[in-house]
Amino acid sequence: MNAVLLASAASTLFMVGLAWFVQIVHYPLFPVVDEAAFPAFHDLHSRRTFPVVIVPMSVELVSSIALAIEPPEGVGPLALAGAVLAVGIWVLTGAVLAPMHGRIGREGPTDGNLARLIRLSWPRTVLWSLHGAVVVAMLGVVVGGS
């Protein structure tokens, strides 16, 4: 079994689960936090989230690009799609969601800011879900071909 594919699958599927948890459970709880406590809560959220996501997101990105460059037999188009999805996730995170968290940290938990965060997070959740499907399909091809 291809170690890079396994790393990609493990990191991607971890992030798929985490993305859905954040989308359905965590972000919708933000409005429940007392407004006076929210700045400390959001700061703690940001500081604790970073170390949990940086390693799997980095492994996902690097392994996806590596698979696109040198794909296992029979998964070339899937590997390319996976790399595009991984890059898209990083772009959305860096260009849209991280700045949104910065805005929430500066302006506070206004209804508009929290609604925007939840709305803007959906495309990333969808991209991760699609990437999860891609890595499962690649595993199926590689295992089926063994």
Side-chain angles (χ1 to χ4, degrees):
M1 178 65 67
N2 184 305
V4 177
L5 177 55
L6 287 176
S8 184
S11 58
T12 300
L13 294 174
F14 172 83
M15 290 307 303
V16 169
L18 184 60
W20 278 99
F21 173 81
V22 167
Q23 189 70 45
I24 300 299
V25 176
H26 190 59
Y27 283 169
L29 289 175
F30 277 27
V32 178
V33 178
D34 180 71
E35 193 170 334
F38 191 85
F41 163 79
H42 187 263
D43 181 62
L44 190 58
H45 154 81
S46 298
R47 286 188 289 121
R48 287 190 173 177
T49 298
F50 182 79
V52 171
V53 301
I54 193 62
V55 171
M57 280 185 70
S58 296
V59 170
E60 176 189 26
L61 179 65
V62 171
S63 62
S64 296
I65 291 169
L67 287 169
I69 292 168
E70 195 171 324
E73 188 168 334
V75 300
L78 288 169
L80 182 59
V84 168
L85 290 165
V87 168
I89 290 163
W90 274 80
V91 168
L92 273 173
T93 299
V96 177
L97 291 158
M100 191 67 234
H101 274 286
R103 182 175 182 176
I104 289 170
R106 287 187 310 278
E107 298 175 6
T110 67
D111 289 343
N113 281 344
L114 296 179
R116 199 171 300 115
L117 174 67
I118 292 168
R119 186 179 71 249
L120 294 173
S121 184
W122 272 113
R124 184 175 63 173
T125 300
V126 169
L127 290 181
W128 257 316
S129 299
L130 291 170
H131 195 199
V134 165
V135 296
V136 168
M138 285 193 288
L139 287 170
V141 169
V142 170
V143 170
S146 298

